[in-house]
Each structure stands twice: as C-alpha cells, then as structure tokens.
Amino acid sequence: MTACSIVVILILLGTIVVHCQNETEQSRSHHLWGKIKHTLAFDSRQLNSEEMLLFPDVAFQSVNDNRIWRVMIHGWKYRTNRGKYWLGSHATSWLERLARNLLNPSEIMYLNGSINHDRLRPFFVTDRMNEDIQITIGNQTQTIRTDQNGEFYDQIEMTNDAIQTLKREQRNDFLSYEARGNNRVNATGVIQLIEPSEGISVISDIDDTIKVSEVLDKVRLLANTFISSFKAVPGMPELFQQWKSKNINCTFHYLSAMPDQLYTLTQEFIDENQFPSGSFHMRHFGWAAASLFNFLHSKSTSAHKISYLHFFLSNTNRTFVLIGDSGEKDPEIYGIITREYPERIRAIFIRAIKGESFNDQRFLDAFQGITKEKWLIFNDPKQVPIDLSRAPRTSTK
Ligand SMILES: *[C@@H]1O[C@H](CO)[C@@H](O)[C@H](O)[C@H]1NC(C)=O
Ligand SMILES: *[C@@H]1O[C@H](CO)[C@@H](O)[C@H](O)[C@H]1NC(C)=O
Ligand SMILES: *[C@@H]1O[C@H](CO)[C@@H](O)[C@H](O)[C@H]1NC(C)=O
Ligand SMILES: *[C@@H]1O[C@H](CO)[C@@H](O)[C@H](O)[C@H]1NC(C)=O
Ligand SMILES: *[C@@H]1O[C@H](CO)[C@@H](O)[C@H](O)[C@H]1NC(C)=O
Ligand SMILES: *[C@@H]1O[C@H](CO)[C@@H](O)[C@H](O)[C@H]1NC(C)=O
C-alpha cells in the first residue's frame, strides 16, 4: 500500500451513489421526478461505465428585462472503475486499517464492518476532464467542456417566449433539459424557474438543519454519512411542507458544504422525507482536503455559501428566508448577508444543536445590527412560524 493510496483512503472515509444514465433503458416516463428517481437505482451491470450527474439548478428571469432568462447548468461526468480493489472486499480491510490508525478503540467498534461500499463509490471514480458536453434545452443547444474535476457549469440565455413554451409543453414547475457526453452517455437535468419579484425563496442548509449529521463529531459524522441511513431532523419535513403549501410561490434551494459526490443520496433523502423539491448547491470534494471533517470545517465552506447567497440575491428581487444551524458558521454567514441586504432577507432561522441559550453571546454577535424580530433561534421546528409573509420586514436598526 503506497503512502499515496493511504492518503486517498484517509481523505475519504467516505460515501455513495452513482447512477447510470442509459436513456434507452429508461421508460420515457412523463413524470420528471419519477424519471430522475429511476436513474438513482444502483445498476451493478454498469460498474465499469461512463456516467453523468446533473444537479438541479435554477433559471433567473432578468430583473431588468423580463424578455430574458438565464439558465444555470451544473453537472459532473466521470467513469466508475470496475476491478479496482477498493470497490471490492478490500475496501473493508483498508478502511479498518485506516480506522485503527485514526480512531480510538471505542470509535472503531462503532464503525467496524459497517461502511456502506456503495456510498464510497463516487469518491473512487475517475473524473472526465476536458470533455465536451452538449446541452439541449428546448430548441437550443450549447457545448461546454468539463473542468479538471469533471464538472461543468454553464449559463444559457433564453428568451421568455422559449421558456414559456417549454413550461406549457412540460407542464412542470421544473424544466427539463438533456446533456450528452462521449460514449453515448445521456442524462436529464432539471431547472427551477425563479420569477424576479414574486414569492419567497427559502435557502436551507442540509446537515444538522434538516438531516441528522452530527458534523461536529468526527466519528458520528462518518457514521451518519457512510453507514447509517440518512435521518431527517424530526419536525423539519412538516415545517418545509407547510412553508411550501401556505406561502405563495415559495421555492427551495439546498445550499450545503457537503461533497456533491453525496448528491444522489441527498436527493433520495429529500424525496423520501418529502422535503420540497428544489435546487442543490453542494461542493465537489477534492483530494486536497485532508478528510471529510476538515473539508466541512474549512474556510472555503463559508466562501461557498456566501458566494451562492450573493448569486441568488443579485439575480432576483425576491425576498429570502435563510435557515441553518448553530453547528458551523451559518449564523455568522447569514448575519453578514442580512447586513448587506437588509430589505431582502425576510427572516433567519437557526436550529440550536449544542443546547445554547437563545441569547447566547455568539448569536448576539452574529446578528449584530439586525433587528431581533428578524432572527429566531429554535430547537423545536414548531417554534418556527409557517406564514413567512408575516415575518417582520423591518430593516436593520
Ligand atoms: C443502453 O441500453 C441498451 C438496451 O439495454 C443497450 O443495448 C446499450 O448498449 C446500452 N448503452 C450503454 C451505453 O450502456
Ligand atoms: C443519446 O442521445 C442521442 C441523441 O438524442 C441518441 O442518438 C443516443 O442514442 C442516445 N444514447 C443513449 C444511450 O440513449
Ligand atoms: C428589481 O429591482 C430593481 C431595483 O430596485 C428595479 O429597478 C427593477 O425594476 C426590479 N425588477 C423587477 C422585475 O421587479
Ligand atoms: C470488527 O468486528 C469483527 C466481527 O464482529 C471482530 O472480529 C473484530 O475484532 C472487530 N474489529 C475491531 C477493530 O473492533
Ligand atoms: C421549437 O421550434 C419549433 C418549430 O420551430 C416550435 O414550434 C417550438 O415552439 C419551439 N420550441 C421552443 C421551446 O421554443
Ligand atoms: C406566482 O408566480 C407565477 C409565475 O410563476 C405568477 O404568474 C403568479 O402571479 C404568482 N402568484 C402570485 C400570487 O404572486
């Protein structure tokens, strides 16, 4: 075992999923989500194949010119490796050795033998670099190239007429588009339409906000990520469902520092627990991070969230509700953004996960200059208001 492979495994200790995109094998279901979910099923015949993931994203109607929309595309192309020993039984012994070097005996007992190999797979794939991907949405086609992580991003400008036509044709809140790469790998992606001024956008963290992850504890984080099935924070699915049904034109955007290699599993979690469908904005996990724990606690976690919040706020006139937890930097990040856009942030909700008092000095500091009516620390989702239009609209004191 080379030092390099040890580092690779170290980095990992970690995760799942992958799906195979062979359109001809999929019944052309009219129900888009049914179609997407179908692709989530793990197909062992495709162990050695090219695959592509498309992350649900958004399209903004221009705030200055309602004839123009910008459609955001984000995907990942990779090849899974059949026969690589870490995908087979060797993965277990490697992980056990690794665990022995890293963790104390009681922690090892906890992890022993239970790592879910499927969840590790997306971390052991080969990214497809510099490959052309053809995106087709409606009558428009555009070619983009994957970066060194196999990821591709694009903004496609479309006319409002074309968007409205697609909306009528597809009869769904989410528009679908096709992506095509080499080796006949096709995938269907979805885009959530964001009208510029109507409605509320909820931006939500995932880990420890709506899903039990225990990010502050290395071992439990790994167990919750790679071993146990994903569990919803009690009461959060109901809160989100009520937000969706009781507020007009309410859209959901899941902003997470977790690796996008976990996207498929996370999407399943959202669907199974009936959280509202929405766009996903996760981070690609690279080998430069020393571990999943370090990855999540690095400075770039804050940078990732702040840049997406700016991106949302600057591309629409909608009002926003921000929800997160006290585990990492959500209070500080949401505080910064709310001071920058006092009129646009309707409310901030923070789930206290460390038993903090609601008047903890940390929160007073994070929300300094922001009116108290605008932020709420909670430990039971029932404490959070359902009617978001009633939440205070006052600006900073
Ligand atoms: C897709 O599925 C069809 C039918 O099962 C099969 O003939 C074809 O080889 C598959 N394509 C790929 C790229 O696996
Ligand atoms: C991918 O899409 C192209 C064009 O629509 C089609 O010709 C090709 O057969 C598709 N490949 C698969 C595997 O479905
Ligand atoms: C969005 O806000 C800007 C600045 O207040 C304004 O000029 C623009 O007309 C607004 N657009 C819409 C669609 O409300
Ligand atoms: C893991 O579990 C197996 C079987 O339950 C046991 O024999 C082994 O000693 C355990 N390893 C560690 C490191 O606890
Ligand atoms: C695509 O082109 C066809 C034929 O010109 C047209 O009927 C259709 O409305 C167009 N679709 C969109 C989404 O623009
Ligand atoms: C909700 O958004 C749609 C556009 O998607 C708009 O036509 C409608 O007027 C909005 N509803 C309300 C009550 O603002």
Side-chain angles (χ1 to χ4, degrees):
M1 178 161 29
T2 65
C4 176
S5 11
I6 294 171
V7 168
V8 163
I9 292 280
L10 267 180
I11 294 173
L12 291 198
L13 263 187
T15 315
I16 223 200
V17 180
V18 158
H19 67 279
C20 308
Q21 290 285 0
N22 186 335
E23 282 284 323
T24 60
E25 287 180 352
Q26 294 168 20
S27 63
R28 283 218 150 254
S29 155
H30 286 289
H31 194 260
L32 193 54
W33 286 106
K35 193 161 153 190
I36 298 291
K37 275 182 214 149
H38 182 95
T39 66
L40 300 179
F42 173 61
D43 182 348
S44 58
R45 289 165 301 177
Q46 302 267 333
L47 270 178
N48 197 4
S49 66
E50 303 269 337
E51 294 169 5
M52 181 152 53
L53 271 182
L54 297 172
F55 306 103
D57 217 296
V58 293
F60 294 111
Q61 188 170 23
S62 163
V63 290
N64 303 315
D65 182 348
N66 63 10
R67 291 167 303 176
I68 294 171
W69 285 77
R70 272 183 305 137
V71 180
M72 309 293 159
I73 305 287
H74 180 196
W76 178 35
K77 177 90 194 299
Y78 55 90
R79 174 176 217 282
T80 60
N81 308 293
R82 199 213 316 253
K84 281 265 170 96
Y85 37 91
W86 48 51
L87 289 180
S89 57
H90 286 75
T92 312
S93 55
W94 278 45
L95 283 163
E96 280 178 6
R97 275 162 82 171
L98 167 75
R100 247 169 251 145
N101 291 328
L102 264 192
L103 306 170
N104 67 40
S106 63
E107 291 169 341
I108 294 176
M109 290 300 284
Y110 195 77
L111 293 178
N112 187 19
S114 42
I115 298 275
N116 180 332
H117 289 187
D118 273 358
R119 295 194 190 181
L120 281 171
R121 288 186 66 219
F123 289 90
F124 286 112
V125 300
T126 308
D127 297 324
R128 292 315 239 170
M129 298 179 221
N130 299 321
E131 183 176 316
D132 284 339
I133 307 289
Q134 216 177 62
I135 304 292
T136 304
I137 176 161
N139 291 343
Q140 261 166 271
T141 294
Q142 200 156 310
T143 301
I144 44 181
R145 196 155 258 251
T146 60
D147 65 16
Q148 77 273 18
N149 295 320
E151 298 241 334
F152 48 95
Y153 301 84
D154 198 15
Q155 284 189 21
I156 297 180
E157 198 170 292
M158 294 184 72
T159 63
N160 188 43
D161 289 344
I163 292 282
Q164 299 309 328
T165 305
L166 282 177
K167 229 173 122 174
R168 277 193 302 276
E169 283 172 9
Q170 301 188 357
R171 281 173 281 140
N172 198 305
D173 289 346
F174 291 78
L175 294 188
S176 72
Y177 68 95
E178 302 291 325
R180 205 151 63 229
N182 291 347
N183 302 314
R184 295 183 303 140
V185 177
N186 296 354
T188 302
V190 289
I191 293 295
Q192 186 169 32
L193 297 178
I194 309 289
E195 316 273 343
S197 47
E198 306 282 353
I200 289 172
S201 291
V202 173
I203 298 196
S204 179
D205 176 58
I206 297 175
D207 292 278
D208 292 328
T209 298
I210 61 173
K211 166 178 169 290
V212 177
S213 299
E214 302 172 284
V215 166
L216 296 178
D217 179 325
K218 277 185 195 162
V219 177
R220 299 195 60 86
L221 170 64
L222 290 176
N224 285 320
T225 307
F226 297 115
I227 300 174
S228 323
S229 57
F230 284 11
K231 285 184 290 293
V233 170
M236 293 306 271
E238 294 76 14
L239 174 64
F240 275 50
Q241 287 153 16
Q242 293 202 54
W243 272 351
K244 175 142 189 84
S245 63
K246 302 273 161 60
N247 294 283
I248 291 160
N249 285 358
C250 187
T251 62
F252 291 82
H253 310 283
Y254 299 100
L255 175 57
S256 163
M258 273 289 190
D260 61 19
Q261 283 93 336
L262 289 169
Y263 159 69
T264 311
L265 200 62
T266 307
Q267 178 73 66
E268 283 177 334
F269 162 79
I270 295 287
D271 295 342
E272 278 164 15
N273 290 283
Q274 294 172 21
F275 282 105
S277 301
S279 60
F280 281 78
H281 311 279
M282 304 169 85
R283 271 192 310 154
H284 199 65
F285 183 83
W287 303 116
S291 70
L292 179 59
F293 186 84
N294 289 355
F295 178 74
L296 290 176
H297 292 86
S298 70
K299 282 211 184 83
S300 48
T301 292
S302 299
H304 168 77
K305 290 199 171 185
I306 287 179
S307 68
Y308 268 104
L309 288 163
H310 280 149
F311 167 76
F312 273 101
L313 281 150
S314 59
N315 277 295
T316 147
N317 284 1
R318 290 166 74 95
T319 46
F320 288 81
V321 165
L322 312 178
I323 180 164
D325 61 82
S326 65
E328 298 170 88
K329 296 273 175 253
D330 290 343
E332 288 74 18
I333 294 167
Y334 292 170
I336 290 168
I337 291 294
T338 305
R339 282 186 291 273
E340 269 179 59
Y341 297 89
E343 309 292 341
R344 304 280 305 286
I345 308 298
R346 179 72 52 87
I348 301 170
F349 301 114
I350 298 291
R351 177 171 174 253
I353 63 166
K354 295 187 278 193
E356 307 95 320
S357 98
F358 301 162
N359 289 320
D360 195 285
Q361 190 60 40
R362 173 186 177 193
F363 300 132
L364 299 176
D365 291 345
F367 300 127
Q368 199 178 17
I370 301 168
T371 176
K372 181 66 193 79
E373 290 74 53
K374 203 174 268 201
W375 54 276
L376 175 74
I377 312 298
F378 68 97
N379 42 33
D380 181 348
K382 290 201 176 69
Q383 295 158 338
V384 179
I386 302 299
D387 183 353
L388 296 170
S389 66
R390 293 246 187 97
R393 264 204 105 158
T394 33
S395 55
T396 53
K397 278 190 237 182

